[in-house]
Amino acid sequence: MKLFFLQLGLLAGAIPAAAQQIPALSLTCPAPAASQALQKLHCETRDLTLPAPAAGNTLTIDARANGGITVRGWNGTTVKVRALVTGRAATAADARALVAAVRITAQNSTLRASRANESLDGWAVEYEVLVPARTDLDLKAVNGAIKAENVAGKLRLNTTNGPLVLLDVSGDVRGQTTNGSLTLRLSGPAWAGPGLEVSTVNGAVDWQLPAVYAATILARTTHGKVSAELNTKRKSVLPHNLAATLGKGGAQLKVSTVHGSISVKQPAETAPVQPDPVE
């Protein structure tokens, strides 16, 4: 029981300061010039405010089949959603009709979009979502990127054609893509929570860590190279594999790709500034 409360405390401490600020929803419609010559584009944004999932429940965002997801943590107690709905058709009227027929629902902590006739042609919905900084997430896409920032919890991230971007996350994080890169930027003194495991098949991995950090990291590629610039002597760097203990070690963080290279970096440690002697 003491260990359980200790882990909760670590997760609470792992919520970055950036999550304490109230970010703005920035998703907007593209400029009219984005319309293709043979198609007309119609676009609109829809804003929703939802209750946060109850403790122990997961917020699911289903962007299949066309659309990406960006989720950021904030210090509020509700979930704020901006959905960017687009339609492309031969005429402007048809494009507007496509968008008008899209329904966005949020039931049982699941956010998704659909059309009455279930056709997937010609329309897409992209989501930008603010969640309480400690929220369990299940993010699903097929043709779109997934980005999670400043969130701690049980995170499950899956897309097929699109990158995964993880910025200042912690907790129990598992994610995968098939055709897309992996970008990881971590902060704080150590990973707080059970660990991280993310993978891609066709994509490179760019992993940035703080100069001082505690964790056990593993990286593997099949058809690519691994490069590492780390502030530790406890490491094994081979052409296709990396294993290293940073600081005092800790949670296991794993990344992998099949067709792609992996870059893992820490900035050089800076010596503390010594005060001038008092005369």
Side-chain angles (χ1 to χ4, degrees):
M1 182 64 70
K2 290 182 179 180
L3 178 60
F4 173 76
F5 286 110
L6 175 61
Q7 289 177 334
L8 285 181
L10 287 172
L11 281 174
I15 299 172
Q20 307 309 313
Q21 302 174 0
I22 301 177
L25 292 169
S26 58
L27 198 59
T28 58
C29 290
S35 298
Q36 298 179 7
L38 298 180
Q39 287 187 314
K40 300 299 182 181
L41 170 69
H42 183 71
C43 169
E44 67 180 41
T45 58
R46 303 177 190 174
D47 291 346
L48 303 84
T49 298
L50 314 174
N57 291 347
T58 298
L59 174 63
T60 298
I61 304 176
D62 187 347
R64 298 172 295 181
N66 299 308
I69 305 169
T70 296
V71 177
R72 290 178 284 154
W74 73 310
N75 65 349
T77 58
T78 58
V79 175
K80 294 186 176 295
V81 180
R82 174 164 293 177
L84 177 68
V85 187
T86 58
R88 292 182 183 273
T91 68
D94 287 344
R96 286 194 297 270
L98 275 174
V99 171
V102 174
R103 297 289 179 263
I104 298 174
T105 59
Q107 297 179 340
N108 300 320
S109 296
T110 297
L111 181 68
R112 61 163 52 97
S114 62
R115 289 186 67 233
N117 62 4
E118 295 301 324
S119 171
L120 299 177
D121 294 335
W123 64 276
V125 179
E126 184 175 354
Y127 298 94
E128 182 184 9
V129 184
L130 304 181
V131 301
R134 285 187 55 197
T135 301
D136 294 342
L137 298 171
D138 184 2
L139 309 182
K140 305 174 182 179
V142 175
N143 298 309
I146 292 180
K147 178 180 179 181
E149 181 176 1
N150 296 323
V151 184
K154 181 179 178 181
L155 311 183
R156 298 295 182 263
L157 321 166
N158 291 276
T159 187
T160 302
N161 301 308
L164 290 181
V165 180
L166 304 178
L167 308 177
D168 301 334
V169 297
S170 60
D172 179 11
V173 181
R174 303 287 182 268
Q176 63 182 25
T177 181
T178 301
N179 300 307
S181 60
L182 302 178
T183 300
L184 295 91
R185 302 284 189 277
L186 303 183
S187 62
W191 183 271
L196 164 83
E197 185 170 358
V198 291
S199 65
T200 182
V201 177
N202 300 306
V205 178
D206 181 9
W207 191 357
Q208 302 286 338
L209 295 144
V212 178
Y213 199 72
T216 299
I217 65 172
L218 303 170
R220 177 176 56 84
T221 180
T222 304
H223 303 292
K225 294 183 179 180
V226 172
S227 64
E229 298 177 14
L230 301 173
N231 302 327
T232 180
K233 295 182 179 179
R234 293 184 292 170
K235 62 183 177 182
S236 171
V237 184
L238 300 174
H240 303 294
N241 294 276
L242 164 69
T245 300
L246 306 181
K248 296 181 179 180
Q252 192 172 88
L253 313 181
K254 300 170 64 177
V255 301
S256 65
T257 181
V258 178
H259 303 288
S261 294
I262 298 176
S263 172
V264 186
K265 292 182 179 180
Q266 287 181 289
E269 294 186 66
T270 56
V273 177
Q274 298 296 327
D276 294 332
V278 178
E279 297 182 357

